[in-house]
Amino acid sequence: MVGSHLEFEFWYTLGMVGGDYKVIASDFDGTLAGVDWQISSKVSNSIQQWISQGNHFSISTGKQYKHIQHECKRLNLTDPQIVRGGTEIVDPQTGKIIYSEYFKSKDLKKLIQILLESKYPFTAEKGSILYTLTGEPFAEVPDVTYKKISEMPYEDIAKIVIWTDSLEEKSIEDFVKNNINGKISSVEVVKSYSPYSKNWQITSKKATKYTAVFELSKLLHINPQQIVGIGDSYNDYPLLAACGYKVAMGNAPDELKHIADFIAPSYEDDGVSIVIDKLLQAQ
């Protein structure tokens, strides 16, 4: 009965929205993959079948490209990939950044000063360098070069992350509201919960998954309404908002499920595979 209900819900919402879907833009952590950063064989097979039918597939993640490139290469993805929360779009064939939107230097200096005066640990990203307060490594972010914040140049900084694993969520929420939101108009702050960490990601306001979807649509010459967005966390709200058909994973928070056209099974149950298979049936 559960399977029948799920199938009815999918076809009902797909029929209501309509459209000829040609692109899937999917989050990575908690959507395509778990803590091992590997996409299951079932989901991989569905992605390859989707592409073989002339469709497009783009990962839309908060990670930098080097942390998903192994899966892009394994799946032989050729479409532009959205990384660092929308700050960059990368050609997976060459690794070249084909679109970027970084912090304004003067606002970045103001933001860093606010964070340095707070009690919260944070990192800043530029290329493959991760700047931390002490220059010490973060276990959650492998294969990067670590440097001190004091060594950071104030240009081409892609993303800042406030790490909140050991902190009270309400405390960090109040800090963001009182010290960043509304005070630095050119930045965007979103909460991001993955299967293994909780953090707040800060980018340029022009560098979100929402704006990146529109850039992706230009690169592919496809209407955003022909894009299916799939995600599982708060930072996927902008992703789904930009897409013609919105899918929230079963492990997503209620806020994301509220705007979704369809709620898929969790990543642990290969929910993306089910979505792709149903989309292929509809073509």
Side-chain angles (χ1 to χ4, degrees):
M1 289 295 293
V2 174
S4 297
H5 176 74
L6 188 68
E7 186 166 349
F8 172 78
E9 182 185 352
F10 183 88
W11 290 115
Y12 179 68
T13 55
L14 190 68
M16 286 178 63
V17 177
D20 183 15
Y21 301 105
K22 294 296 184 183
V23 183
I24 292 175
S26 175
D27 175 55
F28 191 76
D29 289 331
T31 300
L32 289 172
V35 296
D36 60 357
W37 293 6
Q38 294 183 357
I39 302 172
S40 73
S41 58
K42 185 174 181 180
V43 173
S44 297
N45 290 338
S46 293
I47 292 172
Q48 291 175 324
Q49 187 176 3
W50 171 257
I51 294 171
S52 72
Q53 297 302 308
N55 301 305
H56 303 273
F57 190 90
S58 178
I59 295 172
S60 179
T61 179
K63 294 185 181 301
Q64 60 176 288
Y65 177 66
K66 72 181 301 180
H67 288 149
I68 64 165
Q69 69 177 2
H70 62 292
E71 293 297 81
C72 290
K73 300 295 184 184
R74 186 175 66 83
L75 293 169
N76 194 29
L77 299 183
T78 60
D79 294 310
Q81 306 294 303
I82 298 170
V83 298
R84 297 193 198 265
T87 299
E88 296 169 346
I89 298 179
V90 175
D91 179 347
Q93 298 270 282
T94 63
K96 180 181 178 182
I97 297 171
I98 53 180
Y99 167 84
S100 63
E101 183 66 47
Y102 302 128
F103 290 104
K104 294 179 180 178
S105 179
K106 64 180 181 65
D107 291 335
L108 177 61
K109 290 178 180 179
K110 184 176 180 180
L111 176 61
I112 292 296
Q113 188 58 42
I114 290 171
L115 292 171
L116 287 173
E117 292 173 356
S118 77
K119 63 181 179 180
Y120 304 111
F122 69 95
T123 57
E125 300 179 21
K126 175 184 171 71
S128 60
I129 301 172
L130 196 67
Y131 295 94
T132 69
L133 200 57
T134 63
E136 294 298 315
F138 266 63
E140 297 90 342
V141 189
D143 303 322
V144 297
T145 299
Y146 290 89
K147 293 186 178 182
K148 294 181 180 179
I149 286 289
S150 58
E151 301 176 89
M152 186 187 76
Y154 284 88
E155 59 181 17
D156 296 341
I157 299 300
K159 186 176 70 170
I160 291 174
V161 178
I162 305 174
W163 298 89
T164 64
D165 281 353
S166 61
L167 302 171
E168 180 186 1
E169 182 182 343
K170 183 65 167 58
S171 173
I172 192 72
E173 187 170 347
D174 289 343
F175 169 76
V176 168
K177 178 180 179 181
N178 296 328
N179 296 278
I180 301 176
N181 286 344
K183 295 193 175 181
I184 308 178
S185 61
S186 69
V187 305
E188 184 81 8
V189 189
V190 293
K191 182 164 52 175
S192 175
Y193 283 15
S194 76
Y196 52 86
S197 69
K198 298 180 180 180
N199 58 69
W200 292 72
Q201 301 183 0
I202 311 175
T203 64
S204 164
K205 190 175 286 290
K206 296 180 180 179
T208 66
K209 290 186 179 183
Y210 183 90
T211 54
V213 164
F214 285 92
E215 292 299 327
L216 177 66
S217 72
K218 293 176 187 176
L219 290 167
L220 296 177
H221 305 289
I222 287 175
N223 191 306
Q225 290 302 303
Q226 293 178 289
I227 300 178
V228 176
I230 310 177
D232 78 301
S233 190
Y234 298 95
N235 67 332
D236 293 317
Y237 195 105
L239 168 65
L240 267 61
C243 295
Y245 192 73
K246 305 165 177 53
V247 178
M249 303 299 288
N251 46 290
D254 290 341
E255 291 91 332
L256 196 66
K257 291 178 179 178
H258 181 70
I259 67 165
D261 297 304
F262 178 69
I263 299 172
S266 73
Y267 76 94
E268 294 174 318
D269 295 318
D270 298 318
V272 171
S273 177
I274 292 172
V275 172
I276 294 175
D277 292 349
K278 295 302 181 186
L279 287 169
L280 285 171
Q281 288 178 43
Q283 289 188 336

